Structures are given as C-alpha cells and as structure tokens.
Amino acid sequence: MKTINKRKIYFLMVSALLVAGGCKKESFVEANLNPTTLYEIKPEDQFLRAAVGSQDDFEYFADVYRAANLWMQYATLSTGNGLNFNNVGSQFNTRYGKIFYGRLGPALVDAIKNIESMPDADKNARVNMKAISQILLSYYAFYVSDINGSIPYTQAFQARYGGTTTPTYDTQQAVFAKVDAELKAAVATLKSNAAGQISLGGNDPYFNGDATLWAKAANALRLKIAVRLIKVDPAKMKSIATEVLADPVQMAGVNDSWMLKVGPYYADGSGNYSPANFAAGKPVLDFMVAKGDPRLSAFYRPNAAGNYVGSFTSPDEAKLPANAPIYASLDNLSQLQHRLFTPNFNENDGLGAGTGKGFFPVLTYAEYCFLRADLAARGVTTDVAETWYKNGVYASVQFYSDRAVDAKVANFNAVATSAIDTYYNKVGIKFDATKATEQIACQAYLDFFRQPLEAWAWWKRTGFPNNTSVLAWSDLKANGTTLVLARRAGIDLLSTTNLNYANQQAAIVEMAKNPDFGSGPNDAFGRVWWDKK
C-alpha cells in the first residue's frame, strides 16, 4: 500500500495546478463556470490528486476536534466543554464545498471523462481504473449527502464536458440509490478480470491498484449504505444486504481495511491537524480502564503522573468547584494520543519529531464485521451475530495496534492475541444476546475513535452509546439544562444572484416536506431523510 509523503504531496499539488476550493458551498458552481481549469493530466494522476485531497486539515480543526470529538465524548477542551459546545459552528461541513466540490469531485470526474474519451484500446486497458475512480467518487457523494441531504450529483461537475452550469439537486434517497448502483456496477467490472489492465499502482495510496481489494471495499460500502436505510426503507436494506453477501468477494481480515496511509508529515502535528490540548473524555476513558482495553494507550496518553484521568464531558460537571483541581493544569489530565493522529508530533522528550506512518480510515474490516453483526442481530441476514461481533472486536484491537506501531507511538507495544482474549471475556465485552445491538454499537463506537463523524452517524441510527448503555455516556447539562446534539449540517444559502440559487431553493423546499427537517435550512438539530425518529 502506497504511503504518501509531504514532498510528493506538494509536488503533485503544484504539478496538477490544484486550486483549493473555498469553504462555501458555492465552490462547485465556480468550478462548473470555469472550464479553463481543466488541464491535461493523466487519469491516474487525477486519482492521486483526489486521494491526496480527500483529507483536509481544516476538517480536522473544525469538524473533528472541535465538533464530533466533543459531541461523541471522545475528548473535551482542556478546561472542559463550554456551555454551548453542542452547537454547530459556522466552519463545520468542510466535506461539502472545500473537499468534494472544490477538488475531489472535479479530479475524479476528469479522470473518468478522460478515460471515456480515449481510443478503444486505451480505454479498454483502463476499465479497472475507471471503476476504482467511480468507487471513490461514489463514496464521497454518499459521505457528503449523509449529513446534508439533497446535493447536486447527477448533473454536477459536467459543465466542462457539455453539461449544465446549474446542476439540479438530487434528493438523498436518489443519491443513495445512484451510489449503490454505481458501486454494484464497479464491483462487476473489477470482478470481470479484463485482460491487459493498466494499474493505478503507486498512484493509489489506498490499495495500490489492487482490483480485488477495491471490489471488497465497494461491497462493504454497499452494506454501510444499506444499513442507513433501516428506518426509511427496510425492504431495500434487506435486498441490498442479501445481494452483497451472496457475492464471495468480501473483506476477510484487517489488511483489507480501506484507509489512506500517509507519511509522517502529511498530517503535520504543528498545524491544524494537531490533537494537542484536548483532554480524554471521562466516560470512554473510564470504560477502557475498567475493562483493560488493549487500545487504551493507543488512544490516550497517561497524565504527567502516569495515571489515566479523564475530563468531565458535561459542562456543569466540569465547572463544579470539587473538580477544579484537575483542570488547574492540563498535565493532570490524559490527552489524545498525539502520534496516532499526527505521527510527526514532537513530544518534547528530547527525541524530536516523530517519524512514523499515519492513516485515515474510510471503512475498516472491523466496521464491516460490526455491520454484519448488526444486520444479523436484527434478523435481516442469516449471519451469526456473535461470530461477527467477536470478529469485529478482535479486528479493531488488531487494527489500532498495527496503526500505533506504525505511528511509533511512544511506549506502545504490539497487542498480543492473548491480551485480546482476556479483554473479550470481560463482562460487558463478551457477547450477550440480550444486549446484542447495544454491544455491537458500543464496540463500533470504540472502533470509530479515528472516525468520530461516523460514530455520530451510528449514534443517530442506533441511539448508542447513551446514558444507560454498557459504555455509559455522561448526561450533558449546561446550567442545569440538558443539551441535545446536532443531527445534520446547516445549509449555507446561496446568494440570490448565484446562478444555482433557484435549484437550491427548490431542494430546500423539498427537504422541508420532511416533518423532521427542523425549523429551517440552518437548523442542525433537524434531520436528513435517513435519520428518522
């Protein structure tokens, strides 16, 4: 699997004349209106450009560290959470304009269109490359719609190829259906074993161009999307799950995990990626300590005294006079394990910046296992829920052990299978059929430590963790009032002079027909189509 280093990223960004999109949702319109921004770049280079641009330091700054990590109680600010920490900031939703419409979508569509315009011999040698490009594009369309609802997709990115400069918005239901169909077609292509294929090779930092691994990832993604339909279209969910699981091409181990592996300087520890000054959330830390979780030292650092001490996640608890002493200095609290997020982090231990490898998970084998366990526990499939739950627990511990070793986390030793055995047999960890969906969701929650935005999605879908689950959250209160958590992104309204204003307004009117949509476009406490009560 290709590892990206900082110099290569810089070279590729410059050589591809990458113009980063703005944070506003108008950026896709700007891209559509400027066909001169299309450059003659090989499709494999465009794929790498998209992969490199799929992660963003500002997404970590605004969406992960200061939003989802706090909401999901993985961490708090160094002084505890503020009274309004549950609110969605104006900088939230980096995935929309800056990443998808600003750089990833244009690059991947260009790669696909480039291949389609080639002579037959060249085109036929790149059918796998086209399918893989489609999988990444489909994933990100799903990822964007997931918290935004309706988005331009079918007609987006097409202006420079003769399409419209004012793309209409697809409903979330339509986006999910289209993405599922695209993934199904891509899997069929990759399984066809067409001869004479030109591989993405080193231009693919996920799977090095391996067609089988990409087919496995696409099937796993179809399962993820299917599970989102549990409350809005259970029949469709079962149909997709049954179809996917009938295919023998499935993830089978930790090494099948879909992730971006990067070098030590990709996520620079001195900038917006820095996880410094965030304290460990007490509910999850205390649970991990109590159960002897082998991932503990990969997730969190002990405090200056060598102890694991978590921060109160409820603002009212953090402000109690009795708890003031632990907030007198950040040294009193456990923090996020810096190098698991930013391998080049300088721990001021005299050894300088770290030199390990970083990672950004997209869909791990552990998540795949928990998806199958959840479907089985609900009677959707004939799988054995306990088997897939146990597979998921073991896979998650192994995955984070491997990643911590790769990142050269100080004082971390690879986890032995015997340690996972001991952990699994603890009460509250070992499978209990009477609490199956709860346990599955709570272990998936732990596995999403590096994907808090996906933990947020599972929480919305399952209701776990909560204040009474096996991994119990704190009741979040501010001045005695219980805080509720956001459920979607707010919608940045286009100006009335924007060419796509009318299409956006039509999409908002359609979304507002959903009684759960909320009080208006910017009501982040409302819900998108799949998120039903």
Side-chain angles (χ1 to χ4, degrees), residues 266-287:
Y266 178 91
D268 188 3
S270 64
N272 285 336
Y273 278 115
S274 174
N277 302 317
F278 290 97
K282 185 173 175 61
V284 64
L285 181 71
D286 286 356
F287 181 80

Side-chain angles (χ1 to χ4, degrees), residues 41-241:
I41 305 172
K42 293 180 180 179
E44 49 266 48
D45 291 336
Q46 287 289 50
F47 184 88
L48 181 56
R49 173 189 173 191
V52 168
S54 68
Q55 302 300 322
D56 191 86
D57 67 328
F58 209 80
E59 183 171 37
Y60 261 71
F61 177 86
D63 297 39
V64 174
Y65 292 141
R66 289 159 180 81
N69 254 10
L70 309 186
W71 303 341
M72 294 295 100
Q73 304 198 31
Y74 290 121
T76 77
L77 302 175
S78 60
T79 56
N81 289 324
L83 297 178
N84 299 312
F85 84 96
N86 61 318
N87 288 339
V88 176
S90 62
Q91 298 170 326
F92 185 77
N93 200 19
T94 309
R95 69 180 76 177
Y96 193 113
K98 188 176 184 183
I99 301 178
F100 188 49
Y101 293 108
R103 55 181 185 235
L104 185 141
L108 290 172
V109 171
D110 181 39
I112 291 168
K113 293 292 186 180
N114 191 336
I115 292 170
E116 290 176 346
S117 68
M118 291 178 174
D120 286 348
D122 294 328
K123 183 192 307 182
N124 293 338
R126 291 174 172 82
V127 294
N128 283 0
M129 189 183 299
K130 180 183 173 183
I132 292 168
S133 297
Q134 183 62 64
I135 291 170
L136 184 56
L137 180 66
S138 298
Y139 162 72
Y140 220 89
F142 160 72
Y143 179 62
V144 172
S145 176
D146 199 41
I147 65 169
N148 287 282
S150 300
I151 63 169
Y153 184 46
T154 302
Q155 296 181 357
F157 315 114
Q158 301 300 313
R160 57 178 64 128
Y161 316 106
T164 180
T165 59
T166 55
T168 58
Y169 285 61
D170 299 83
T171 65
Q172 185 170 75
Q173 184 177 9
V175 172
F176 282 16
K178 180 174 173 57
V179 164
D180 180 65
E182 290 167 343
L183 293 170
K184 179 179 177 179
V187 170
T189 296
L190 295 173
K191 289 171 58 182
S192 68
N193 296 317
Q197 291 301 295
I198 297 173
S199 175
L200 281 166
N203 284 55
D204 172 10
Y206 300 101
F207 294 122
N208 203 41
D210 189 305
T212 300
L213 290 177
W214 272 107
K216 290 180 178 182
N219 272 334
L221 180 54
R222 291 190 70 197
L223 279 188
K224 181 202 282 275
I225 295 169
V227 168
R228 290 287 202 275
L229 307 179
I230 189 168
K231 295 179 181 178
V232 289
D233 197 344
K236 182 67 172 177
M237 173 190 69
K238 184 168 184 175
S239 173
I240 295 173

